[in-house]
């Protein structure tokens, strides 16, 4: 079992005919993902060949869902068109929208996030500025390399795409149920807490790796949630111990203000609720390995 993305998921790609969309559609297909079509109003009615697999192009997400039964969309459109693409997916009522696009204006993200809430949060949004979600051996929606690890019983949620890949590699011999890259922008659709709750409820996830980074208070709020709601072992890593205050480091959300949002503060909050926090990704993987070896 996996969270949100399974072997039965049917995936469409908004922006499938563009350079990034076509490249990663090909990779998703190679990973075994059931990709059933793409969306581009200007090329509706055509098909695209991906190494022998012909995928239809639809005028809208609603049309694609009606014709294929799609329940997941992966969005590869330029930043200026991302809000419209996400709103279209929400209006169509699709279950999961994975927003890969980097550089989406924060006010646009705020707008489509608020719109989704107003519509009853029928659609789960992951991202923007994220690597996507992968359930190894079952399905892969986004840009996460499919050959890093196999399936297993660890759940992974991470703000950082690169650290998602590294942790998958470090624990590749144990494997993962699902790996979720939630993105590092100031406003995101799915949070650490959302993933923690889903992994806690998943009977085939035994333990959880949570990767955070400096800036904001998401990790502190996750610590409070873990204390109250999570019974499974959690290990953590916080990127940015050497970051200078007041500087944005990599992600738009990774900025320290005074003593708030520092790696030390986040580490302390997590350790206070029993989460073991590694000083490096490799040390974090070692902590998880110790937990899994006792199961």
């Amino acid at each position: 079992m996996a969270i949100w993305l399974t072997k039965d998921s049917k995936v469409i790609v908004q922006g499938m005919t563009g350079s990034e969309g076509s490249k990663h559609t090909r990779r998703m297909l190679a990973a075994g993902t059931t990709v059933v079509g793409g969306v581009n109003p200007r090329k509706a009615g055509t098909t695209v060949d991906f190494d022998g697999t012909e995928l239809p192009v639809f005028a809208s997400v609603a049309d694609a869902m009606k014709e294929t039964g799609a329940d997941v969309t992966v969005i590869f459109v330029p930043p200026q068109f991302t809000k419209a693409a996400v709103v279209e997916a929400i209006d169509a009522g699709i279950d999961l929208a994975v927003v890969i696009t980097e550089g989406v204006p924060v006010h646009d993200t705020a707008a489509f996030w608020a719109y989704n809430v107003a519509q009853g949060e029928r659609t789960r949004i992951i991202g923007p500025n994220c690597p996507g979600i992968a359930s190894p051996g079952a399905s892969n929606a986004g840009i996460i390399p499919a050959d890093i690890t196999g399936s297993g019983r660890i759940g992974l949620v991470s703000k950082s795409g690169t650290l998602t890949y590294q942790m998958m590699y470090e624990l590749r011999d144990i494997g993962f149920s699902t790996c979720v890259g939630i993105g590092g922008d100031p406003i995101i659709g799915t949070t650490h807490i959302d993933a923690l709750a889903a992994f806690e409820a998943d009977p085939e996830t035994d333990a959880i790796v949570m990767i955070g980074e400096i800036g904001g208070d998401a990790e502190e709020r996750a610590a409070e949630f873990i204390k109250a709601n999570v019974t499974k072992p959690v290990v953590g890593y916080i990127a940015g111990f050497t970051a200078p205050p007041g500087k944005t480091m990599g992600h738009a959300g990774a900025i320290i203000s005074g003593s708030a949002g520092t790696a030390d503060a986040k580490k302390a909050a997590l350790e206070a609720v029993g989460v073991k926090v590694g000083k490096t990704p490799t040390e974090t993987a070692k902590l998880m390995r110790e937990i899994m070896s006792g199961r």
Side-chain angles (χ1 to χ4, degrees):
M1 190 174 177
I3 67 167
W4 302 328
L5 185 75
T6 72
K7 62 179 178 61
D8 297 320
S9 297
K10 294 182 179 179
V11 179
I12 57 173
V13 179
Q14 289 172 262
M16 185 182 75
T17 58
S19 60
E20 290 299 310
S22 62
K23 176 174 71 176
H24 290 291
T25 297
R26 182 170 282 103
R27 293 179 67 180
M28 285 187 279
L29 286 166
T33 305
T34 304
V35 182
V36 295
V39 176
N40 183 334
R42 293 174 298 173
K43 297 184 179 181
T46 64
T47 61
V48 181
D49 178 75
F50 292 96
D51 304 320
T53 299
E54 291 281 339
L55 294 182
V57 181
F58 298 95
S60 68
V61 174
D63 287 349
M65 291 175 65
K66 180 180 178 181
E67 294 298 324
T68 67
D71 52 9
V72 177
T73 181
V74 185
I75 299 176
F76 289 98
V77 301
Q80 65 268 34
F81 305 125
T82 299
K83 181 175 76 170
V86 178
V87 168
E88 179 185 338
I90 294 167
D91 284 341
I94 203 160
D95 291 344
L96 176 64
V98 181
V99 189
I100 304 299
T101 308
E102 184 176 3
V104 179
V106 176
H107 59 80
D108 282 1
T109 304
F112 68 65
W113 180 87
Y115 184 77
N116 193 41
V117 172
Q119 300 303 309
E121 295 187 273
R122 172 69 178 80
T123 298
R124 170 163 297 284
I125 299 169
I126 298 177
N129 187 20
C130 78
I133 177 171
S135 296
S139 191
N140 186 314
I143 65 173
I144 297 174
D147 56 354
I148 302 176
T149 185
S151 61
R153 302 184 69 87
I154 300 173
L156 170 62
V157 55
S158 173
K159 279 186 176 180
S160 165
T162 304
L163 291 175
T164 300
Y165 313 152
Q166 180 172 354
M167 193 58 62
M168 291 169 68
Y169 179 79
E170 296 270 5
L171 294 169
R172 63 194 181 281
D173 56 318
I174 300 175
F176 293 82
S177 55
T178 301
C179 305
V180 188
I182 58 175
D185 279 4
I187 299 174
I188 53 177
T190 291
T191 66
H192 285 117
I193 290 174
D194 296 327
L196 288 164
F199 284 131
E200 173 70 11
D202 178 21
E204 295 190 8
T205 296
D206 291 340
I208 306 164
V209 180
M210 188 188 104
I211 299 176
E213 63 188 14
I214 58 170
D217 65 350
E219 293 78 9
E220 289 88 344
R221 287 185 283 113
E224 294 175 5
F225 181 85
I226 290 168
K227 181 179 181 180
N229 300 283
V230 179
T231 62
K232 296 176 180 179
V234 181
V235 300
Y237 173 68
I238 305 297
F241 276 99
T242 61
K247 296 291 185 179
T248 300
M249 305 297 290
H251 287 151
I255 183 169
I256 299 171
S257 300
S259 61
T262 65
D264 285 328
K266 294 175 183 295
K267 180 174 183 288
L270 289 167
E271 290 180 335
V273 299
V275 176
K276 295 182 177 180
V277 181
K279 295 179 181 178
T280 66
T282 300
E283 182 179 310
T284 305
K286 182 180 179 182
L287 293 171
M288 177 55 74
R289 196 175 296 280
E290 291 170 356
I291 289 170
M292 297 302 288
S293 66
R295 292 179 173 264

